Amino acid sequence: MDFLTLIQLLDSTVRLATPLLLACLAGLFSERAGIFDIGLEGKMLAAAFFSAAVAAVTGSVWLGLLAGIAASLLLSALHGIASITFRGNQLISGVAINFLASGLTVLIAQSWFQQGGRTPSLMGGGRFTPITLPFADAVADVPFLGPIYAELISGHSILVYIAFAAVPLTWFVLFRTRFGLRLRAVGENPAAVDTAGVSVVGLRYAAVAICGVLCGIAGAYLSTALQAGFVKDMSAGRGYIALAALIFAKWRPWYALYATLLFGLFGALETRPDVITALTGMRMQGQLLGALPYIMTVIILAGFVGRANPPRAGGEPYVKER
Amino acid sequence: MDVMPKWAEVILVPLISLILAAIISALVILAIGEDPIAAVKLMVSGALGSTYGWGYTLYYATNFMFTGLAVAVAFHARLFNIGGEGQAALGGLGVALACLYIPWPHWSLALLGAIVMAGIFGAIWAAIPAYLQARRGSHIVITTIMFNFIAASLLNYILVNVLRPRGSMDPATARFPEGTHLPTLHDVLAPFGISFSKAAPANITLLIAVLACVLVWALIWRTRLGYELRAYGHSESAAKYAGISPFKITMITMIISGALAGLMAINNVMGEAERLVLNAVEGAGFIGIAVALMGRSHPFGVFIAAILFGFLYQGGAELALWTSIPRELIVVIQALVILFTGALDNMVRMPLERMFLAARRARAPKPERKPVEPAE
């Protein structure tokens, strides 16, 4: 495998890791506040559809992004009502949200565009286009560092840079602000937060809302940057892989970055069977390669996580003492 | 003491949840520019208006009984098995192997063999996540989801590379031999003088599904294992204190659950398609979640809910055929049922409880407030 192939592989790793990273950070906010969310998948899917649909109709990808975030926020609100206000089972609520998104997107897509549950292909201003960072063309010929800067770091859409910037931002918000401290506390011991006179319900809704915004960006990235338009069930299990990455990362932002990059690499390898053949000397069947990210997830979760300490109050609704 | 009488708990709460789901579904149909009343009429006539419609409704219901029971059994031990889809797919593989490679002399023997193989294959696919949860601490919800994806890839691989007959382009096995064909409801009912549609896929597996409902009921409420399983579901620490091994219960529950999901394959693979095709499960594993929630994890409730979803499935197919409403409407209805009967359960329950509490207070006499006779 030569250097250029490696750069290409890493380049597509970054592309595929971006939606996972955004969804993983989304789950991080939610689960750190004690709200399990397996509805990441559904929120991404809904956001993917609405951003593609609005971008297709208006021709503006930014309006599309807003619509995607709004759709994702709506589902987040539903999850909040079910699991915070009515203290329902958070896993079941997440499952319901996933099916709701999976069914409604096709239903609405068919009703609006009559193209068999997809949106029209996005063109021009309807997509997030790659950004060429300054001097990328100038340094492209420099050996080693040139291609890394020009091919790997430059030339992604703005959402990729937003996703990577979200990692230090998440770390800062969670570990260096008062809001973050309270948010983590509400996931560990909500009764203590309540005693301190801070609203448990308010904090949890805030966390779920942040989760909605990040999932919205992730979904918009899928349909307006990674691909050009929405197709049925295009999130393809990414929400679940993001959840697995979250566990692998032990609910920490920087580890989330590494975990999602690893899963992104699995995804990138899936599209390059020639690289695997070159590396291992074996020919892999395409169908089995498709299962690679999932198999790796199971192996990682089973063996390498070590002691993963989830937020202690995760999944449990908070009932105020009377 | 429970706030609500038993009938309200068992009938009223699910009914109100269902009505709420139905109202929102109607609004969705309105929003995409169709007439909900006409849609319901079409669904009823398509699914229940003929023995042909009934044959499809009961065929789907049979699938959902198995997957619903699978989820329900796991719920009793407070395990959430989302892997019914993958377990049923693997069950299909077991059925295909049993039917293709063993020369069965009679369908009844083939059925027994297929039941064993479907159960074992489904159980294995559930046992791995169960083991990983019990021994390695990986969350069963995540692993069963992953196993759904892995099962889909595995079946794709096996169908394309191993079981596909030479010269065929279709990723499917060869047709099963004549000796494994199960009698349809038409064949079963004909001796009793009842004429049932010949073309409908409902078959003798329906009786096995009903039997499975009875057996699961007996298991959960009439055996020591069932007691341990429920005890574990209510309180893990109390169960541990009583000497119940969490590892054992997790494994056994998931093995039973996976076997039940796997058994679905005798209906769709052996009974209907008579060969194993790609994506044979068609989401029935997920519908099991809705069925179990609506049936309150009780086998009889699962039976009723499965028939309701069978009706929705067949009715939805008719809708997709005659109107511009796509089949995905069923996924939306399924999501709404899961939402209202599962996640938003308290939204329905809390006001009802308040109502019953108020009614009881109004009826009961209040002894401490007795007017005191003034002394003369």
Side-chain angles (χ1 to χ4, degrees), chain B residues 67 83-93 122 125 258 261-265 268-269 281 285:
Chain B
T67 54
E85 193 76 6
Q87 289 143 20
L90 260 282
L93 183 61
W125 210 244
L263 282 185
M264 185 197 120
N268 69 335
V269 177
V281 187

Side-chain angles (χ1 to χ4, degrees), chain A residues 38 78 82 86-88 91-93 95-96 99-100 102-104 106-107 110-111 232 237 240-241 243 247 285 287-288 290-291 294-295 297-298 301-303, chain B residues 28 32 80 82 132 136 138 141-142 145-147 149-150 153 156-157 160-161 286 289 293 326 328-329 331-332 334-336 338-339 342-344 346-347 350:
Chain A
I38 55 175
L78 186 62
F86 288 110
R87 305 198 285 266
L91 294 173
I92 292 174
S93 167
V95 171
F99 287 127
L100 203 58
S102 162
L104 272 183
V106 178
L107 215 60
Q110 182 60 22
S111 167
K232 181 183 168 181
Y240 300 122
I241 295 201
L243 270 185
I247 299 172
Q285 288 290 338
Q287 296 93 345
L288 291 185
Y294 309 112
I295 295 173
T297 305
V298 171
L301 291 186
Chain B
V28 169
I32 60 172
F80 192 5
I82 313 194
L132 293 177
R136 308 291 313 178
S138 32
V141 171
I142 303 278
I145 290 171
M146 294 297 146
F147 268 63
F149 288 109
I150 299 173
S153 297
N156 192 338
Y157 172 76
V160 171
N161 296 296
F286 294 122
I289 300 169
L293 283 170
E328 275 73 15
L329 176 69
V331 182
V332 176
Q334 173 195 346
L336 291 169
I338 294 177
L339 191 67
L344 288 174
N346 279 334
M347 187 181 81
M350 281 173 179

Side-chain angles (χ1 to χ4, degrees), chain B residues 122-209:
Chain B
I124 288 174
W125 210 244
I128 306 170
Y131 180 83
L132 293 177
Q133 151 118 354
R135 278 284 184 261
R136 308 291 313 178
S138 32
H139 202 295
I140 204 156
V141 171
I142 303 278
T143 30
T144 47
I145 290 171
M146 294 297 146
F147 268 63
N148 285 340
F149 288 109
I150 299 173
S153 297
L154 183 68
L155 253 82
N156 192 338
Y157 172 76
I158 290 179
L159 283 178
V160 171
N161 296 296
V162 185
L163 289 178
R164 183 168 51 121
R166 200 161 294 174
S168 155
M169 290 303 288
D170 203 13
T173 66
R175 291 212 153 272
F176 297 161
E178 195 69 33
T180 64
H181 291 186
L182 296 178
T184 61
L185 278 195
H186 170 81
D187 305 329
V188 175
L189 292 175
F192 301 98
I194 304 166
S195 70
F196 198 86
S197 165
K198 221 173 181 167
N203 57 70
I204 194 149
T205 316
L206 174 65
L207 302 181
I208 309 221

